[in-house]
Amino acid sequence: MAWITKDSANARIDRRDEPYLSDAFKRSFDEKYAHRYPNRQALSLPILHAIQHEHNYLPYQALEEAAEFLGIGVSDLLDTATFYEEYFLEPKGKYTVWVCQSVSCEIMGEGDVTKAISDKLGIEPGETTADGKFTLMKVECIGACGGAPCALINEDLAEDLTPENVLKRLDVLD
Amino acid sequence: MPLENPVIFKNVPTPPWGGFADRKYVDYDAYVKAGGYEALQKGIDDGGEAVLAEVKAAELRGRGGAGFPAGMKWGFLPPADGEPRYLAINADESEPATFKDQILIQYDPHTVIEGIVLCMLACNLDTAYFYIRGEYHHHRDAFEKAIQEAYDNKVLGENARTGKINDRWPRLFLHRGAGAYICGEETGLLESLEGKRGWPRIKPPFPAVAGAFARPTIINNVETLANVPYIVAHGADAWKQNGKGRPDGVPPQVPASFGTKLFGISGPVNRPGVYEENLGISLKSLIEDYGMGLRDGEQPKAYFHGGISMGVVSQEEVEQGVQMDFDIGKKWANLGLGTACVTVIPQRTSMVSMARNCARFYSHESCGQCTPCREGTTWTAKLLSRIEAGDGTTKDLDLLLELASSMGSMPGSTICGLADGNNWAIRTIVNKFFHEFEEKVSKSSSVSLAVLG
Ligand SMILES: Cc1cc2nc3c(=O)[nH]c(=O)nc-3n(C[C@H](O)[C@H](O)[C@H](O)COP(=O)(O)O)c2cc1C
Ligand code: SF4
Ligand code: FES
């Protein structure tokens, strides 16, 4: 999986006065999840999902607050956060397009679909448009191979894509 | 003999019994109306031990890839000691070209939940975690809804109809993954459940002894558990009417291929989708009678017959009679049945590109803790990109094959089976389509400027 080397010595951490994790957030999170697991480290994935859901990515300060809230080390939570492809440590676009590049999709024309998106948005896979609207990701099989080539646009599945119909789907997003 | 009646897809309209367009979420009431949760009642009446005996008698083999007998796995649990015991349901489904479990999760979650509770009853497990891959968004919503319905109707939770299991009211929670293939490996899954990076564990201890939170844990695939209600309701013998038994004279210790199986079909066929058929159906019939053959102008060349990690079978082999059962590996030189989701590779697709695609997948998804796998998969991917770009040499092919034999849990140099998947994908593609690779490496004229890094 991802091996992220970060420039710890020079990295500047953006901080703000207002906490990312409000008391209300913590209360409702604990109500929903705490009873499910025998320890609090197991809440790591749920809390990372919850933070990203609210803030679009995982701000470092939010990770610090979450680690304190769970009673685990910040490095432990960061260790988990950097391992998984879905967690973003940098802001991503309002819409993330996850194009599947695995075998069935490649056979059915993923290459042309990705190229069409890439040309249209002026970004390479892994990048975000300057206006912060779109992030393009190439990912492995998303479990919708019957509709290959396919992609997820945020949480919505787009199947049987062509270079033309995929652009139409992006055009209608605001 | 084609399957007469669907077993697992009883409530999921599928050709020839129904149409894909009619598939919809089967809620608790509709499920009960169709006879749902009767097996659970029978399990409760007969007791957990009877359920365990029935599943053992059915010789139900795991549907997640390895085909390990579920009843035997359940039998490995130590006796209860008063502390919690867990079930982890593997709904990670991230093997490339695999999309079978998601149909059950989306449309008929109660069959899965009934199987889950029967397993908890049989194995004396109080808490279950449904580990679902992060990308299954709508599936997650559907399954959450079904879990809530199950609690509301006392299938689970306080005052559940099962009574207490392992001295606790039975509970089921959904746990969302976050995009990592390796969390489908059972101990990677457990690490991820515990909130850590999904690094597979060294075994032993096996999860049945020390699994989630260091407690006894059973891990089964979604489809495996979806078979359990039928087995309990109708008995092992009825369930074993489907599929492929042992040939005459073969001793009962030899595992057979009883039951039906979900088969996915993708690639350039007329009707891609997920179907249910007998284990043992010929791959040719699956493609022709269910996939409705290849699209106009396409010719088949090869197949990933069970996700990429099992390797490929060629069209010639398929013409000779490849059957989709648990013996496919031994008979046709590949790793096994895998997920039984088939990708059709047409003539126009280069096998070098397919090998490069697989290699990229493994190098990206290797969790990195074993050096042979981390370095070997990356090396393989670079080699194949170079060969594809026309810059490979004949020596590279030898190196490729050597790499694909030296890492893995079978040579014993890695912790989990990811590297073995890499090996089988690469080796079967290279060996069965060697001429395509030779052609690429002997073209000395095509100089490319590809920068690898
Ligand atoms: C690298 C790797 C990935 C795996 N991915 C999955 C998966 O996505 N889903 C699954 O059910 N099993 C997967 N497995 C198999 C599991 O380890 C395990 O055998 C299975 O969940 C057991 O359930 P079963 O016996 O019911 O099949 C994977 C195995 C390996 C080595
Ligand atoms: S074989 Fe590969 S994926 Fe499996 S544990 Fe080792 S490094 Fe990780
Ligand atoms: S191969 Fe693209 S969704 Fe499965």
Side-chain angles (χ1 to χ4, degrees), chain A residues 1 3 35-39 41-42 44-46 49 79-80 82-87 101-104 106-108 140-146 152 154-156, chain B residues 86 97 99 129 133-134 136-138 171 174-179 192-198 213 266-268 272 295 343 346 348 356-357 360-361 364-366:
Chain A
M1 284 308 301
W3 286 87
H35 66 287
R36 298 186 177 192
Y37 307 95
N39 67 37
Q41 181 165 16
S44 296
L45 267 68
H49 279 306
D79 192 66
T80 299
T82 52
F83 183 77
Y84 297 90
E85 183 125 6
E86 270 177 52
Y87 297 132
Q101 59 177 341
S102 289
V103 286
S104 300
E106 175 171 335
I107 292 170
M108 299 307 284
E140 301 298 347
C141 183
I142 55 175
C145 328
L152 280 166
N154 282 353
E155 299 200 348
D156 292 322
Chain B
Y86 301 107
F99 57 118
Y129 296 105
R133 64 178 304 188
Y136 279 172
H137 302 290
H138 297 289
R171 309 184 305 161
L174 180 144
H175 186 89
R176 178 184 173 188
S192 181
L193 176 65
E194 293 181 9
K196 305 171 194 157
R197 51 172 60 203
F213 310 104
S266 62
R295 295 186 189 172
T343 299
R348 64 176 161 83
R356 182 260 304 135
N357 189 313
R360 184 214 52 233
F361 173 81
H364 182 251
E365 298 296 338
S366 166

Side-chain angles (χ1 to χ4, degrees), chain A residues 39 43 47 51-52 70 77 81 83-85 88 91 97 107 123 134 151-152 171:
Chain A
N39 67 37
L43 294 165
I47 206 161
I51 296 169
Q52 185 157 301
L70 298 186
L77 193 59
F83 183 77
Y84 297 90
E85 183 125 6
F88 284 72
V97 185
I107 292 170
I123 51 172
F134 289 105
L152 280 166
D171 278 342

Side-chain angles (χ1 to χ4, degrees), chain A residues 6-113:
Chain A
K6 61 181 177 54
D7 183 9
S8 305
N10 298 304
R12 226 193 78 238
I13 295 165
D14 279 326
R15 294 188 188 282
R16 66 181 206 191
D17 292 337
E18 186 200 341
Y20 281 92
L21 272 59
S22 68
D23 288 340
F25 172 93
K26 289 183 187 167
R27 216 176 310 117
S28 78
F29 180 85
D30 261 351
E31 247 166 53
K32 182 158 182 206
Y33 294 104
H35 66 287
R36 298 186 177 192
Y37 307 95
N39 67 37
R40 288 184 74 77
Q41 181 165 16
L43 294 165
S44 296
L45 267 68
I47 206 161
L48 294 174
H49 279 306
I51 296 169
Q52 185 157 301
H53 185 74
E54 197 159 316
H55 298 284
N56 166 303
Y57 76 111
L58 302 172
Y60 187 78
Q61 183 183 329
L63 292 179
E64 287 179 336
E65 292 170 19
E68 193 190 332
F69 174 53
L70 298 186
I72 61 175
V74 187
S75 59
D76 290 327
L77 193 59
L78 194 60
D79 192 66
T80 299
T82 52
F83 183 77
Y84 297 90
E85 183 125 6
E86 270 177 52
Y87 297 132
F88 284 72
L89 297 179
E90 302 283 333
K92 59 179 165 54
K94 180 175 174 196
Y95 298 101
T96 304
V97 185
W98 313 80
V99 185
C100 168
Q101 59 177 341
S102 289
V103 286
S104 300
C105 288
E106 175 171 335
I107 292 170
M108 299 307 284
E110 169 275 324
D112 292 340
V113 171

Side-chain angles (χ1 to χ4, degrees), chain B residues 182 199-200 365-371 373-374 414-419:
Chain B
I182 199 57
W199 272 10
E365 298 296 338
S366 166
C367 82
Q369 63 175 328
C370 320
T371 306
C373 170
R374 181 186 65 243
T414 66
I415 293 171
C416 91
L418 180 137

